[in-house]
Amino acid sequence: MVKKRYAAALAAALLFLTACGGKRDETIRVGVALYRQDDTFITSLSQYLQQIVPEQEEARDVKINLNVVDGRGSQTTQNEQVDQFLDRGYDVICVNIVDRTAAAVIIDKAQAAQVPVVFFNREPVEEDLNRWEYAYYVGTRADEAGRIEGGLVLDAWRADPGALDRNGDGVLQYVMLEGEPGHQDSLLRTEYSVRTLTAAGVPMEKLSNNAADWQRGPARLRMQRWLEELGGAIEVVFANNDDMALGAIDACLDAGMTAEEMPFIVGVDATAPALRAMEEGTLRGTVLNDAAGQAADILALSCALAQGEDPGAAVELEDEKYCWRPHTAVTRENLAEFLPEAP
């Protein structure tokens, strides 16, 4: 398989592969390293990846061997998994990195082995991604997700301020459930969700914030404590992702609240459990983080790189590095568009 096009011998091989248009006995081996597989969104993205493999195999007339491994939240474990992919001669590695500041190590390993690397969902530092021309990123813009999440609350405020401002003081009191401390998506989603409202002139008061590491269980515990301490003062709950929003809902249900009595809770991802919560009226809005689209881009980019094709012809790239998928607001009004079809 082709690892890099500038070497003369490999360039000749590339020309041969391109001319033949792929061979039935050719196998593209793609290693996929996840930061943790129990993350609902990452599980969904991984499932989409595996589902679309037959389509790419048919389109390219090749066999695609996709090996998905779980880093279990450990960068050390993930580095070892990447080493195994490279030692076994995989053609492309795709990395949902545990620690975005650790990407340089993986990029240097990939460059030494002349194996393209596609990061996804958790964006490396720009300087690291620029270390090598065959390092890419597939994902969505975290600031955009924050703006849309804030927009969900802003639209509700404009439609009926009294429904959100339960104490009638003209100020929205909120709590913020954050992802990992220092994580770029957590920081930007947090900042821009609130900024969207304040920029529109909505008075805001933060009652509390805490990190729940993207997870439902810890978010439930955080929300339970806030309900004990703050009670009905909480009018809005921002969550950096849907799992944490669902954890907040769990705490409200534990406290005996009905959907109407709960704060206005919003999240990000539009996972299947979140969409069900929207049907039930407990989650008031979410933001589609296009798992299916990202999976399609990851696999298309990986196959193009493995077969020595122009990656910019396979997916739309910005700055020859970044493949972005747009977010979409999910509301009660358009919810039916995002619900899975009944079997």
Side-chain angles (χ1 to χ4, degrees), residues 157-176:
W157 170 268
R158 287 172 169 167
D160 186 0
L164 272 68
D165 184 20
R166 299 184 179 188
N167 63 8
D169 66 352
V171 178
L172 273 184
Q173 279 80 24
Y174 72 94
V175 293
M176 179 73 69

Side-chain angles (χ1 to χ4, degrees), residues 2 5 92 116-118 134 136 300-309 311:
V2 176
R5 289 179 283 176
V92 181
V117 55
V118 178
Y134 290 100
Y136 301 86
L301 180 58
S302 296
C303 289
L305 291 167
Q307 294 193 305
E309 299 169 0

Side-chain angles (χ1 to χ4, degrees), residues 267-282:
V268 176
D269 281 340
T271 62
L275 296 177
R276 287 195 294 271
M278 287 191 64
E279 281 190 290
E280 296 164 359
T282 52

Side-chain angles (χ1 to χ4, degrees), residues 81-276:
Q81 292 167 339
V82 168
D83 286 339
Q84 291 174 359
F85 288 151
L86 297 176
D87 290 344
R88 293 171 184 172
Y90 278 66
D91 303 300
V92 181
I93 56 173
C94 301
V95 183
N96 171 224
I97 196 162
V98 174
D99 178 0
R100 68 183 295 261
T101 66
V105 173
I106 291 177
I107 292 170
D108 289 348
K109 291 174 183 286
Q111 183 176 14
Q114 295 296 281
V115 176
V117 55
V118 178
F119 292 93
F120 64 95
N121 178 255
R122 297 161 70 89
E123 183 183 351
V125 176
E126 182 179 3
E127 291 76 10
D128 290 341
L129 204 64
N130 287 330
R131 293 173 72 91
W132 191 38
E133 60 180 314
Y134 290 100
Y136 301 86
Y137 178 71
V138 174
T140 54
R141 299 181 189 274
D143 58 335
E144 180 185 64
R147 289 189 185 95
I148 295 175
E149 185 179 27
L152 294 168
V153 180
L154 178 60
D155 289 344
W157 170 268
R158 287 172 169 167
D160 186 0
L164 272 68
D165 184 20
R166 299 184 179 188
N167 63 8
D169 66 352
V171 178
L172 273 184
Q173 279 80 24
Y174 72 94
V175 293
M176 179 73 69
L177 285 165
E178 301 171 353
E180 297 167 53
H183 189 284
Q184 184 184 37
D185 283 7
S186 180
L187 293 171
L188 292 177
R189 290 177 184 179
T190 295
E191 175 186 354
Y192 283 93
S193 59
V194 176
R195 182 188 288 189
T196 297
L197 286 140
T198 57
V202 180
M204 302 286 287
E205 179 187 357
K206 181 173 70 176
L207 300 178
S208 190
N209 66 291
N210 211 321
D213 296 327
W214 310 112
Q215 298 179 61
R216 186 169 182 165
R220 182 180 193 165
L221 295 175
R222 304 286 188 274
M223 189 66 186
Q224 285 174 343
R225 187 179 73 246
W226 287 336
L227 289 173
E228 292 169 359
E229 296 173 353
L230 302 167
I234 303 171
E235 296 172 335
V236 176
V237 178
F238 292 99
N240 285 167
N241 78 339
D242 283 342
D243 273 3
M244 294 189 295
L246 293 172
I249 292 169
D250 291 338
C252 291
L253 292 173
D254 291 342
M257 291 182 178
T258 64
E260 292 73 21
E261 293 169 332
M262 291 182 189
F264 194 96
I265 302 172
V266 289
V268 176
D269 281 340
T271 62
L275 296 177
R276 287 195 294 271

Side-chain angles (χ1 to χ4, degrees), residues 71-83 98-99 102:
R72 300 182 297 279
S74 167
Q75 189 60 59
T76 299
T77 298
Q78 189 172 73
N79 287 346
E80 292 170 353
Q81 292 167 339
V82 168
D83 286 339
V98 174
D99 178 0

Side-chain angles (χ1 to χ4, degrees), residues 254-329:
D254 291 342
M257 291 182 178
T258 64
E260 292 73 21
E261 293 169 332
M262 291 182 189
F264 194 96
I265 302 172
V266 289
V268 176
D269 281 340
T271 62
L275 296 177
R276 287 195 294 271
M278 287 191 64
E279 281 190 290
E280 296 164 359
T282 52
L283 183 67
R284 306 301 294 275
T286 186
V287 183
L288 176 68
N289 190 2
D290 188 0
Q294 290 177 61
D297 288 340
I298 291 164
L299 193 58
L301 180 58
S302 296
C303 289
L305 291 167
Q307 294 193 305
E309 299 169 0
D310 176 11
V315 297
E316 184 176 346
L317 291 176
E318 182 176 305
D319 298 329
E320 301 182 346
K321 287 284 182 183
Y322 295 91
C323 178
W324 300 110
R325 279 275 169 170
H327 291 97
T328 305

